[in-house]
């Protein structure tokens, strides 16, 4: 099979690597060449918040988790369209507010559904915008529907935020609708962390965007 690599030079590349990922064949040569393209350590720096601009906060979550309701509550006005119908928000919407002489840019995003549920082109576009919002954000606010509980899609999105290295806060919303006692929040948090043990560092709050609780 080694002789067959010659055919691939017709694609115009100067060097072809015939490797075996499974057995590690010629990976050392590949990685030696890859390293030459990496920046030197003195040029690598941890991403910093742009002190000259607003702090960017992306509000992420499944459809109907209460993202727009939360931002309206923070803004103090009904600027964003809200509805009990999932998918009301179709795009990423920027909302700039100033508090204590500091600017905050809240990015309201369309709820991200599972891929097979996304049938309309406009929803596919909205999902891409939501993913880009995570990249734009300095901090991600991830909203979980307290009534509906944690879904597999929530886990996938939270894992994505974690893997991208974005600081984030977990908000369990609609807490006003939960039958609870003094131990309910603690039990809920324990169960969440059991399923999301890789983000046990993230602050967690139980709120109601609708009533303004907490």
């Amino acid at each position: 099979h080694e002789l067959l690599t010659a055919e691939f030079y017709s694609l115009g590349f100067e060097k072809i690597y015939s490797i075996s990922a499974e057995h590690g064949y010629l990976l050392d040569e590949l990685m030696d060449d890859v390293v030459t393209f990496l920046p030197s350590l003195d040029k690598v720096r941890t991403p910093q918040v742009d002190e000259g601009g607003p702090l960017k906060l992306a509000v992420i979550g499944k459809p109907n988790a209460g993202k727009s309701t939360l931002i309206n509550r923070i803004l103090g006005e009904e600027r964003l369209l809200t509805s009990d119908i999932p998918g009301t928000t179709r795009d990423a919407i920027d909302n700039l507010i100033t508090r204590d002489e500091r600017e905050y840019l809240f990015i309201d995003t369309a709820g991200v559904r599972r891929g097979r549920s996304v049938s309309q082109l406009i929803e596919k576009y909205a999902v891409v915008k939501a993913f880009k919002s995570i990249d734009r954000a300095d901090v991600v606010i991830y909203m979980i529907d307290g009534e509906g509980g944690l879904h597999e899609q929530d886990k996938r999105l939270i894992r994505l935020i974690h893997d991208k290295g974005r600081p984030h806060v977990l908000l369990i919303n609609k807490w006003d609708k939960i039958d609870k006692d003094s131990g309910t929040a603690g039990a809920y948090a324990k169960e969440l962390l059991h399923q999301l043990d890789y983000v046990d560092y993230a602050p967690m709050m139980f709120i109601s965007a609708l009533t303004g609780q907490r």
Side-chain angles (χ1 to χ4, degrees):
H1 288 185
E2 188 83 16
L3 296 176
L4 298 178
T5 60
E7 297 181 14
F8 292 94
Y9 280 99
S10 64
L11 297 174
F13 296 100
E14 293 183 3
K15 187 170 185 179
I16 300 294
Y17 299 86
S18 53
I19 68 167
S20 170
E22 182 175 2
H23 300 290
Y25 179 68
L26 288 185
L27 284 186
D28 288 342
E29 179 185 355
L30 169 64
M31 296 313 298
D32 284 344
D33 287 350
V34 167
V35 167
T36 64
F37 291 95
L38 298 179
S40 58
L41 286 177
D42 61 341
K43 294 182 180 179
V44 178
R45 55 193 283 274
T46 303
Q48 301 291 325
V49 174
D50 182 7
E51 297 297 338
L55 184 70
K56 296 183 288 294
L57 303 105
V59 184
I60 306 291
K62 290 184 72 224
N64 207 32
K67 300 179 293 296
S68 297
T69 303
L70 173 69
I71 294 181
N72 282 338
R73 170 66 60 174
I74 294 173
L75 294 175
E77 59 181 289
E78 295 293 322
R79 190 181 300 182
L80 300 179
L81 180 64
T82 62
S83 170
D84 291 334
I85 302 173
T88 304
T89 303
R90 295 289 191 177
D91 204 348
I93 303 170
D94 290 357
N95 300 272
L96 185 66
I97 67 171
T98 302
R99 181 169 180 174
D100 297 329
E101 299 182 356
R102 179 71 193 271
E103 288 187 326
Y104 300 87
L105 185 69
F106 282 89
I107 307 167
D108 183 33
T109 61
V112 182
R113 311 184 188 201
R114 294 188 62 178
R116 64 188 181 190
S117 299
V118 181
S119 57
Q120 299 179 14
L121 181 61
I122 191 170
E123 287 197 10
K124 293 180 181 180
Y125 171 76
V127 169
V128 172
K129 294 287 284 187
F131 288 155
K132 288 184 177 180
S133 296
I134 295 175
D135 291 328
R136 289 176 57 200
D138 300 313
V139 178
V140 175
I141 299 173
Y142 191 87
M143 297 194 70
I144 297 170
D145 184 340
E147 281 190 302
L150 192 69
H151 293 262
E152 288 301 316
Q153 186 66 1
D154 290 311
K155 296 178 185 178
R156 293 189 187 96
L157 290 170
I158 294 170
R159 168 65 77 175
L160 175 67
I161 296 164
H162 167 77
D163 289 346
K164 285 179 174 289
R166 288 293 181 270
H168 54 284
V169 178
L170 300 178
L171 289 189
I172 293 81
N173 190 30
K174 305 182 183 179
W175 201 241
D176 57 311
K177 298 182 179 180
I178 304 296
D179 293 329
K180 49 190 172 293
D181 55 32
S182 58
T184 305
Y188 199 108
K190 183 177 180 180
E191 175 58 26
L192 275 185
L193 290 178
H194 176 70
Q195 300 183 62
L196 302 170
D197 55 349
Y198 49 89
V199 290
D200 57 359
Y201 56 86
M204 185 183 304
M205 295 186 66
F206 297 82
I207 69 162
S208 169
L210 184 64
T211 67
Q213 180 182 356
R214 297 198 181 90

PDB file of all heavy atoms in Angstrom, residues 141-174:
ATOM      1  N   ILE A 141     -24.178  31.919  30.183  1.00  0.00           N
ATOM      2  CA  ILE A 141     -25.220  31.611  31.159  1.00  0.00           C
ATOM      3  C   ILE A 141     -26.034  30.462  30.572  1.00  0.00           C
ATOM      4  O   ILE A 141     -26.724  30.645  29.570  1.00  0.00           O
ATOM      5  CB  ILE A 141     -26.115  32.832  31.427  1.00  0.00           C
ATOM      6  CG1 ILE A 141     -25.280  33.976  32.003  1.00  0.00           C
ATOM      7  CG2 ILE A 141     -27.258  32.469  32.371  1.00  0.00           C
ATOM      8  CD1 ILE A 141     -26.044  35.281  32.137  1.00  0.00           C
ATOM      9  N   TYR A 142     -25.922  29.291  31.176  1.00  0.00           N
ATOM     10  CA  TYR A 142     -26.660  28.144  30.637  1.00  0.00           C
ATOM     11  C   TYR A 142     -27.922  27.928  31.466  1.00  0.00           C
ATOM     12  O   TYR A 142     -27.861  27.708  32.677  1.00  0.00           O
ATOM     13  CB  TYR A 142     -25.836  26.860  30.628  1.00  0.00           C
ATOM     14  CG  TYR A 142     -26.554  25.804  29.815  1.00  0.00           C
ATOM     15  CD1 TYR A 142     -26.365  25.743  28.444  1.00  0.00           C
ATOM     16  CD2 TYR A 142     -27.485  24.945  30.401  1.00  0.00           C
ATOM     17  CE1 TYR A 142     -27.069  24.834  27.669  1.00  0.00           C
ATOM     18  CE2 TYR A 142     -28.195  24.043  29.631  1.00  0.00           C
ATOM     19  CZ  TYR A 142     -27.980  23.990  28.271  1.00  0.00           C
ATOM     20  OH  TYR A 142     -28.690  23.112  27.503  1.00  0.00           O
ATOM     21  N   MET A 143     -29.073  27.946  30.779  1.00  0.00           N
ATOM     22  CA  MET A 143     -30.356  27.829  31.455  1.00  0.00           C
ATOM     23  C   MET A 143     -30.929  26.430  31.296  1.00  0.00           C
ATOM     24  O   MET A 143     -30.989  25.890  30.192  1.00  0.00           O
ATOM     25  CB  MET A 143     -31.345  28.870  30.924  1.00  0.00           C
ATOM     26  CG  MET A 143     -30.907  30.293  31.181  1.00  0.00           C
ATOM     27  SD  MET A 143     -32.251  31.483  30.933  1.00  0.00           S
ATOM     28  CE  MET A 143     -33.318  31.125  32.326  1.00  0.00           C
ATOM     29  N   ILE A 144     -31.342  25.873  32.439  1.00  0.00           N
ATOM     30  CA  ILE A 144     -31.981  24.555  32.468  1.00  0.00           C
ATOM     31  C   ILE A 144     -33.416  24.733  32.930  1.00  0.00           C
ATOM     32  O   ILE A 144     -33.687  25.455  33.897  1.00  0.00           O
ATOM     33  CB  ILE A 144     -31.231  23.614  33.429  1.00  0.00           C
ATOM     34  CG1 ILE A 144     -29.798  23.394  32.935  1.00  0.00           C
ATOM     35  CG2 ILE A 144     -31.963  22.279  33.585  1.00  0.00           C
ATOM     36  CD1 ILE A 144     -28.913  22.677  33.932  1.00  0.00           C
ATOM     37  N   ASP A 145     -34.337  24.111  32.242  1.00  0.00           N
ATOM     38  CA  ASP A 145     -35.753  24.153  32.616  1.00  0.00           C
ATOM     39  C   ASP A 145     -35.935  23.291  33.861  1.00  0.00           C
ATOM     40  O   ASP A 145     -35.840  22.062  33.797  1.00  0.00           O
ATOM     41  CB  ASP A 145     -36.599  23.622  31.456  1.00  0.00           C
ATOM     42  CG  ASP A 145     -38.100  23.730  31.720  1.00  0.00           C
ATOM     43  OD1 ASP A 145     -38.495  23.840  32.895  1.00  0.00           O
ATOM     44  OD2 ASP A 145     -38.870  23.701  30.750  1.00  0.00           O
ATOM     45  N   GLY A 146     -36.186  23.924  35.000  1.00  0.00           N
ATOM     46  CA  GLY A 146     -36.326  23.194  36.253  1.00  0.00           C
ATOM     47  C   GLY A 146     -37.469  22.208  36.245  1.00  0.00           C
ATOM     48  O   GLY A 146     -37.404  21.160  36.898  1.00  0.00           O
ATOM     49  N   GLU A 147     -38.522  22.541  35.496  1.00  0.00           N
ATOM     50  CA  GLU A 147     -39.668  21.634  35.410  1.00  0.00           C
ATOM     51  C   GLU A 147     -39.338  20.405  34.563  1.00  0.00           C
ATOM     52  O   GLU A 147     -39.701  19.277  34.905  1.00  0.00           O
ATOM     53  CB  GLU A 147     -40.872  22.356  34.794  1.00  0.00           C
ATOM     54  CG  GLU A 147     -41.623  23.265  35.727  1.00  0.00           C
ATOM     55  CD  GLU A 147     -42.921  23.735  35.107  1.00  0.00           C
ATOM     56  OE1 GLU A 147     -42.875  24.348  34.026  1.00  0.00           O
ATOM     57  OE2 GLU A 147     -43.978  23.480  35.700  1.00  0.00           O
ATOM     58  N   GLY A 148     -38.672  20.637  33.469  1.00  0.00           N
ATOM     59  CA  GLY A 148     -38.391  19.543  32.534  1.00  0.00           C
ATOM     60  C   GLY A 148     -37.193  18.705  32.920  1.00  0.00           C
ATOM     61  O   GLY A 148     -37.039  17.580  32.447  1.00  0.00           O
ATOM     62  N   GLY A 149     -36.313  19.258  33.768  1.00  0.00           N
ATOM     63  CA  GLY A 149     -35.130  18.522  34.165  1.00  0.00           C
ATOM     64  C   GLY A 149     -34.026  18.569  33.125  1.00  0.00           C
ATOM     65  O   GLY A 149     -34.126  19.255  32.105  1.00  0.00           O
ATOM     66  N   LEU A 150     -32.978  17.809  33.380  1.00  0.00           N
ATOM     67  CA  LEU A 150     -31.802  17.796  32.515  1.00  0.00           C
ATOM     68  C   LEU A 150     -31.991  16.779  31.394  1.00  0.00           C
ATOM     69  O   LEU A 150     -32.314  15.623  31.645  1.00  0.00           O
ATOM     70  CB  LEU A 150     -30.560  17.442  33.335  1.00  0.00           C
ATOM     71  CG  LEU A 150     -29.211  17.645  32.668  1.00  0.00           C
ATOM     72  CD1 LEU A 150     -28.915  19.132  32.486  1.00  0.00           C
ATOM     73  CD2 LEU A 150     -28.112  16.996  33.509  1.00  0.00           C
ATOM     74  N   HIS A 151     -31.780  17.240  30.150  1.00  0.00           N
ATOM     75  CA  HIS A 151     -31.920  16.363  28.986  1.00  0.00           C
ATOM     76  C   HIS A 151     -30.549  16.082  28.383  1.00  0.00           C
ATOM     77  O   HIS A 151     -29.564  16.748  28.697  1.00  0.00           O
ATOM     78  CB  HIS A 151     -32.831  17.007  27.940  1.00  0.00           C
ATOM     79  CG  HIS A 151     -34.257  17.141  28.384  1.00  0.00           C
ATOM     80  ND1 HIS A 151     -35.233  16.238  28.037  1.00  0.00           N
ATOM     81  CD2 HIS A 151     -34.872  18.077  29.159  1.00  0.00           C
ATOM     82  CE1 HIS A 151     -36.392  16.602  28.571  1.00  0.00           C
ATOM     83  NE2 HIS A 151     -36.194  17.717  29.250  1.00  0.00           N
ATOM     84  N   GLU A 152     -30.504  15.087  27.514  1.00  0.00           N
ATOM     85  CA  GLU A 152     -29.252  14.754  26.847  1.00  0.00           C
ATOM     86  C   GLU A 152     -28.706  15.937  26.058  1.00  0.00           C
ATOM     87  O   GLU A 152     -27.504  16.151  25.979  1.00  0.00           O
ATOM     88  CB  GLU A 152     -29.442  13.543  25.917  1.00  0.00           C
ATOM     89  CG  GLU A 152     -29.606  12.230  26.644  1.00  0.00           C
ATOM     90  CD  GLU A 152     -28.411  11.901  27.528  1.00  0.00           C
ATOM     91  OE1 GLU A 152     -27.270  12.081  27.056  1.00  0.00           O
ATOM     92  OE2 GLU A 152     -28.621  11.486  28.678  1.00  0.00           O
ATOM     93  N   GLN A 153     -29.624  16.727  25.460  1.00  0.00           N
ATOM     94  CA  GLN A 153     -29.174  17.889  24.698  1.00  0.00           C
ATOM     95  C   GLN A 153     -28.516  18.912  25.620  1.00  0.00           C
ATOM     96  O   GLN A 153     -27.540  19.555  25.235  1.00  0.00           O
ATOM     97  CB  GLN A 153     -30.347  18.517  23.943  1.00  0.00           C
ATOM     98  CG  GLN A 153     -29.958  19.656  23.010  1.00  0.00           C
ATOM     99  CD  GLN A 153     -29.098  19.191  21.846  1.00  0.00           C
ATOM    100  OE1 GLN A 153     -28.794  18.010  21.699  1.00  0.00           O
ATOM    101  NE2 GLN A 153     -28.677  20.117  21.017  1.00  0.00           N
ATOM    102  N   ASP A 154     -29.045  19.066  26.838  1.00  0.00           N
ATOM    103  CA  ASP A 154     -28.405  19.950  27.815  1.00  0.00           C
ATOM    104  C   ASP A 154     -26.974  19.489  28.076  1.00  0.00           C
ATOM    105  O   ASP A 154     -26.037  20.295  28.108  1.00  0.00           O
ATOM    106  CB  ASP A 154     -29.187  19.947  29.133  1.00  0.00           C
ATOM    107  CG  ASP A 154     -30.531  20.645  29.036  1.00  0.00           C
ATOM    108  OD1 ASP A 154     -30.572  21.775  28.514  1.00  0.00           O
ATOM    109  OD2 ASP A 154     -31.534  20.063  29.478  1.00  0.00           O
ATOM    110  N   LYS A 155     -26.809  18.203  28.277  1.00  0.00           N
ATOM    111  CA  LYS A 155     -25.478  17.658  28.572  1.00  0.00           C
ATOM    112  C   LYS A 155     -24.514  17.921  27.427  1.00  0.00           C
ATOM    113  O   LYS A 155     -23.347  18.272  27.647  1.00  0.00           O
ATOM    114  CB  LYS A 155     -25.572  16.153  28.831  1.00  0.00           C
ATOM    115  CG  LYS A 155     -26.381  15.769  30.061  1.00  0.00           C
ATOM    116  CD  LYS A 155     -26.456  14.260  30.205  1.00  0.00           C
ATOM    117  CE  LYS A 155     -27.351  13.854  31.348  1.00  0.00           C
ATOM    118  NZ  LYS A 155     -27.464  12.373  31.476  1.00  0.00           N
ATOM    119  N   ARG A 156     -25.012  17.749  26.197  1.00  0.00           N
ATOM    120  CA  ARG A 156     -24.141  17.979  25.037  1.00  0.00           C
ATOM    121  C   ARG A 156     -23.707  19.444  24.956  1.00  0.00           C
ATOM    122  O   ARG A 156     -22.547  19.758  24.680  1.00  0.00           O
ATOM    123  CB  ARG A 156     -24.860  17.578  23.748  1.00  0.00           C
ATOM    124  CG  ARG A 156     -25.118  16.084  23.621  1.00  0.00           C
ATOM    125  CD  ARG A 156     -25.634  15.745  22.229  1.00  0.00           C
ATOM    126  NE  ARG A 156     -26.035  14.352  22.128  1.00  0.00           N
ATOM    127  CZ  ARG A 156     -27.282  13.921  22.278  1.00  0.00           C
ATOM    128  NH1 ARG A 156     -28.254  14.790  22.527  1.00  0.00           N
ATOM    129  NH2 ARG A 156     -27.576  12.642  22.183  1.00  0.00           N
ATOM    130  N   LEU A 157     -24.648  20.348  25.176  1.00  0.00           N
ATOM    131  CA  LEU A 157     -24.326  21.774  25.080  1.00  0.00           C
ATOM    132  C   LEU A 157     -23.391  22.210  26.207  1.00  0.00           C
ATOM    133  O   LEU A 157     -22.447  22.983  25.979  1.00  0.00           O
ATOM    134  CB  LEU A 157     -25.616  22.593  25.121  1.00  0.00           C
ATOM    135  CG  LEU A 157     -26.513  22.489  23.887  1.00  0.00           C
ATOM    136  CD1 LEU A 157     -27.859  23.148  24.152  1.00  0.00           C
ATOM    137  CD2 LEU A 157     -25.847  23.126  22.689  1.00  0.00           C
ATOM    138  N   ILE A 158     -23.644  21.731  27.411  1.00  0.00           N
ATOM    139  CA  ILE A 158     -22.779  22.091  28.538  1.00  0.00           C
ATOM    140  C   ILE A 158     -21.380  21.527  28.325  1.00  0.00           C
ATOM    141  O   ILE A 158     -20.375  22.178  28.629  1.00  0.00           O
ATOM    142  CB  ILE A 158     -23.389  21.598  29.863  1.00  0.00           C
ATOM    143  CG1 ILE A 158     -24.694  22.367  30.148  1.00  0.00           C
ATOM    144  CG2 ILE A 158     -22.419  21.790  31.024  1.00  0.00           C
ATOM    145  CD1 ILE A 158     -25.510  21.798  31.289  1.00  0.00           C
ATOM    146  N   ARG A 159     -21.299  20.325  27.780  1.00  0.00           N
ATOM    147  CA  ARG A 159     -19.993  19.743  27.458  1.00  0.00           C
ATOM    148  C   ARG A 159     -19.274  20.586  26.408  1.00  0.00           C
ATOM    149  O   ARG A 159     -18.068  20.831  26.506  1.00  0.00           O
ATOM    150  CB  ARG A 159     -20.175  18.309  26.953  1.00  0.00           C
ATOM    151  CG  ARG A 159     -18.945  17.695  26.332  1.00  0.00           C
ATOM    152  CD  ARG A 159     -17.809  17.512  27.327  1.00  0.00           C
ATOM    153  NE  ARG A 159     -18.043  16.367  28.188  1.00  0.00           N
ATOM    154  CZ  ARG A 159     -17.157  15.925  29.086  1.00  0.00           C
ATOM    155  NH1 ARG A 159     -15.991  16.551  29.226  1.00  0.00           N
ATOM    156  NH2 ARG A 159     -17.443  14.886  29.848  1.00  0.00           N
ATOM    157  N   LEU A 160     -20.012  21.077  25.406  1.00  0.00           N
ATOM    158  CA  LEU A 160     -19.424  21.929  24.377  1.00  0.00           C
ATOM    159  C   LEU A 160     -18.862  23.202  24.987  1.00  0.00           C
ATOM    160  O   LEU A 160     -17.740  23.618  24.671  1.00  0.00           O
ATOM    161  CB  LEU A 160     -20.485  22.273  23.318  1.00  0.00           C
ATOM    162  CG  LEU A 160     -20.065  23.256  22.223  1.00  0.00           C
ATOM    163  CD1 LEU A 160     -19.003  22.648  21.333  1.00  0.00           C
ATOM    164  CD2 LEU A 160     -21.267  23.687  21.390  1.00  0.00           C
ATOM    165  N   ILE A 161     -19.638  23.840  25.873  1.00  0.00           N
ATOM    166  CA  ILE A 161     -19.185  25.062  26.537  1.00  0.00           C
ATOM    167  C   ILE A 161     -17.936  24.789  27.360  1.00  0.00           C
ATOM    168  O   ILE A 161     -16.968  25.563  27.350  1.00  0.00           O
ATOM    169  CB  ILE A 161     -20.311  25.631  27.423  1.00  0.00           C
ATOM    170  CG1 ILE A 161     -21.500  26.055  26.552  1.00  0.00           C
ATOM    171  CG2 ILE A 161     -19.820  26.802  28.256  1.00  0.00           C
ATOM    172  CD1 ILE A 161     -22.782  26.268  27.329  1.00  0.00           C
ATOM    173  N   HIS A 162     -17.940  23.667  28.079  1.00  0.00           N
ATOM    174  CA  HIS A 162     -16.790  23.262  28.890  1.00  0.00           C
ATOM    175  C   HIS A 162     -15.562  23.035  28.005  1.00  0.00           C
ATOM    176  O   HIS A 162     -14.466  23.521  28.305  1.00  0.00           O
ATOM    177  CB  HIS A 162     -17.150  21.994  29.670  1.00  0.00           C
ATOM    178  CG  HIS A 162     -15.975  21.304  30.289  1.00  0.00           C
ATOM    179  ND1 HIS A 162     -15.377  21.758  31.443  1.00  0.00           N
ATOM    180  CD2 HIS A 162     -15.282  20.187  29.915  1.00  0.00           C
ATOM    181  CE1 HIS A 162     -14.364  20.963  31.760  1.00  0.00           C
ATOM    182  NE2 HIS A 162     -14.288  20.006  30.845  1.00  0.00           N
ATOM    183  N   ASP A 163     -15.745  22.297  26.903  1.00  0.00           N
ATOM    184  CA  ASP A 163     -14.621  21.976  26.027  1.00  0.00           C
ATOM    185  C   ASP A 163     -14.047  23.223  25.366  1.00  0.00           C
ATOM    186  O   ASP A 163     -12.846  23.263  25.052  1.00  0.00           O
ATOM    187  CB  ASP A 163     -15.058  20.978  24.947  1.00  0.00           C
ATOM    188  CG  ASP A 163     -15.321  19.580  25.517  1.00  0.00           C
ATOM    189  OD1 ASP A 163     -14.908  19.323  26.668  1.00  0.00           O
ATOM    190  OD2 ASP A 163     -15.958  18.768  24.825  1.00  0.00           O
ATOM    191  N   LYS A 164     -14.893  24.229  25.134  1.00  0.00           N
ATOM    192  CA  LYS A 164     -14.417  25.478  24.548  1.00  0.00           C
ATOM    193  C   LYS A 164     -13.737  26.380  25.583  1.00  0.00           C
ATOM    194  O   LYS A 164     -13.223  27.444  25.249  1.00  0.00           O
ATOM    195  CB  LYS A 164     -15.578  26.235  23.886  1.00  0.00           C
ATOM    196  CG  LYS A 164     -16.036  25.637  22.556  1.00  0.00           C
ATOM    197  CD  LYS A 164     -17.198  26.432  21.982  1.00  0.00           C
ATOM    198  CE  LYS A 164     -17.561  25.923  20.581  1.00  0.00           C
ATOM    199  NZ  LYS A 164     -16.531  26.283  19.586  1.00  0.00           N
ATOM    200  N   GLY A 165     -13.768  25.961  26.847  1.00  0.00           N
ATOM    201  CA  GLY A 165     -13.086  26.719  27.899  1.00  0.00           C
ATOM    202  C   GLY A 165     -13.792  28.000  28.291  1.00  0.00           C
ATOM    203  O   GLY A 165     -13.157  28.934  28.778  1.00  0.00           O
ATOM    204  N   ARG A 166     -15.106  28.050  28.096  1.00  0.00           N
ATOM    205  CA  ARG A 166     -15.845  29.260  28.425  1.00  0.00           C
ATOM    206  C   ARG A 166     -16.309  29.224  29.885  1.00  0.00           C
ATOM    207  O   ARG A 166     -16.938  28.253  30.310  1.00  0.00           O
ATOM    208  CB  ARG A 166     -17.079  29.409  27.525  1.00  0.00           C
ATOM    209  CG  ARG A 166     -16.752  29.777  26.091  1.00  0.00           C
ATOM    210  CD  ARG A 166     -16.164  31.179  26.017  1.00  0.00           C
ATOM    211  NE  ARG A 166     -15.859  31.564  24.652  1.00  0.00           N
ATOM    212  CZ  ARG A 166     -14.695  31.336  24.063  1.00  0.00           C
ATOM    213  NH1 ARG A 166     -13.724  30.738  24.720  1.00  0.00           N
ATOM    214  NH2 ARG A 166     -14.480  31.716  22.821  1.00  0.00           N
ATOM    215  N   PRO A 167     -15.997  30.274  30.666  1.00  0.00           N
ATOM    216  CA  PRO A 167     -16.574  30.360  32.010  1.00  0.00           C
ATOM    217  C   PRO A 167     -18.091  30.371  31.903  1.00  0.00           C
ATOM    218  O   PRO A 167     -18.647  30.990  30.999  1.00  0.00           O
ATOM    219  CB  PRO A 167     -16.052  31.705  32.533  1.00  0.00           C
ATOM    220  CG  PRO A 167     -14.873  32.037  31.675  1.00  0.00           C
ATOM    221  CD  PRO A 167     -15.167  31.440  30.332  1.00  0.00           C
ATOM    222  N   HIS A 168     -18.765  29.667  32.813  1.00  0.00           N
ATOM    223  CA  HIS A 168     -20.215  29.612  32.697  1.00  0.00           C
ATOM    224  C   HIS A 168     -20.889  29.452  34.057  1.00  0.00           C
ATOM    225  O   HIS A 168     -20.280  29.028  35.039  1.00  0.00           O
ATOM    226  CB  HIS A 168     -20.655  28.484  31.753  1.00  0.00           C
ATOM    227  CG  HIS A 168     -20.116  27.127  32.107  1.00  0.00           C
ATOM    228  ND1 HIS A 168     -18.818  26.771  31.849  1.00  0.00           N
ATOM    229  CD2 HIS A 168     -20.694  26.049  32.684  1.00  0.00           C
ATOM    230  CE1 HIS A 168     -18.612  25.531  32.249  1.00  0.00           C
ATOM    231  NE2 HIS A 168     -19.730  25.073  32.779  1.00  0.00           N
ATOM    232  N   VAL A 169     -22.162  29.834  34.056  1.00  0.00           N
ATOM    233  CA  VAL A 169     -23.022  29.715  35.225  1.00  0.00           C
ATOM    234  C   VAL A 169     -24.204  28.840  34.839  1.00  0.00           C
ATOM    235  O   VAL A 169     -24.753  28.980  33.735  1.00  0.00           O
ATOM    236  CB  VAL A 169     -23.524  31.103  35.686  1.00  0.00           C
ATOM    237  CG1 VAL A 169     -24.465  30.973  36.879  1.00  0.00           C
ATOM    238  CG2 VAL A 169     -22.347  32.011  36.024  1.00  0.00           C
ATOM    239  N   LEU A 170     -24.596  27.930  35.719  1.00  0.00           N
ATOM    240  CA  LEU A 170     -25.762  27.094  35.477  1.00  0.00           C
ATOM    241  C   LEU A 170     -26.959  27.695  36.198  1.00  0.00           C
ATOM    242  O   LEU A 170     -26.934  27.871  37.420  1.00  0.00           O
ATOM    243  CB  LEU A 170     -25.521  25.662  35.977  1.00  0.00           C
ATOM    244  CG  LEU A 170     -24.353  24.909  35.336  1.00  0.00           C
ATOM    245  CD1 LEU A 170     -24.200  23.530  35.971  1.00  0.00           C
ATOM    246  CD2 LEU A 170     -24.540  24.781  33.831  1.00  0.00           C
ATOM    247  N   LEU A 171     -28.008  28.028  35.431  1.00  0.00           N
ATOM    248  CA  LEU A 171     -29.225  28.587  36.015  1.00  0.00           C
ATOM    249  C   LEU A 171     -30.350  27.581  35.864  1.00  0.00           C
ATOM    250  O   LEU A 171     -30.690  27.187  34.744  1.00  0.00           O
ATOM    251  CB  LEU A 171     -29.621  29.895  35.316  1.00  0.00           C
ATOM    252  CG  LEU A 171     -28.772  31.135  35.552  1.00  0.00           C
ATOM    253  CD1 LEU A 171     -29.463  32.360  34.959  1.00  0.00           C
ATOM    254  CD2 LEU A 171     -28.529  31.359  37.029  1.00  0.00           C
ATOM    255  N   ILE A 172     -30.907  27.147  36.990  1.00  0.00           N
ATOM    256  CA  ILE A 172     -32.086  26.289  36.947  1.00  0.00           C
ATOM    257  C   ILE A 172     -33.287  27.206  37.050  1.00  0.00           C
ATOM    258  O   ILE A 172     -33.530  27.834  38.090  1.00  0.00           O
ATOM    259  CB  ILE A 172     -32.076  25.245  38.083  1.00  0.00           C
ATOM    260  CG1 ILE A 172     -30.933  24.253  37.872  1.00  0.00           C
ATOM    261  CG2 ILE A 172     -33.398  24.475  38.101  1.00  0.00           C
ATOM    262  CD1 ILE A 172     -29.587  24.723  38.317  1.00  0.00           C
ATOM    263  N   ASN A 173     -34.033  27.336  35.955  1.00  0.00           N
ATOM    264  CA  ASN A 173     -35.118  28.300  35.852  1.00  0.00           C
ATOM    265  C   ASN A 173     -36.469  27.658  36.189  1.00  0.00           C
ATOM    266  O   ASN A 173     -36.586  26.448  36.329  1.00  0.00           O
ATOM    267  CB  ASN A 173     -35.142  28.889  34.444  1.00  0.00           C
ATOM    268  CG  ASN A 173     -36.076  30.070  34.318  1.00  0.00           C
ATOM    269  OD1 ASN A 173     -36.299  30.815  35.286  1.00  0.00           O
ATOM    270  ND2 ASN A 173     -36.656  30.256  33.142  1.00  0.00           N
ATOM    271  N   LYS A 174     -37.475  28.512  36.337  1.00  0.00           N
ATOM    272  CA  LYS A 174     -38.860  28.108  36.648  1.00  0.00           C
ATOM    273  C   LYS A 174     -38.958  27.455  38.023  1.00  0.00           C
ATOM    274  O   LYS A 174     -39.802  26.582  38.254  1.00  0.00           O
ATOM    275  CB  LYS A 174     -39.407  27.181  35.559  1.00  0.00           C
ATOM    276  CG  LYS A 174     -39.317  27.765  34.155  1.00  0.00           C
ATOM    277  CD  LYS A 174     -39.902  26.845  33.110  1.00  0.00           C
ATOM    278  CE  LYS A 174     -39.736  27.413  31.699  1.00  0.00           C
ATOM    279  NZ  LYS A 174     -40.277  26.533  30.649  1.00  0.00           N
TER     280      LYS A 174
END
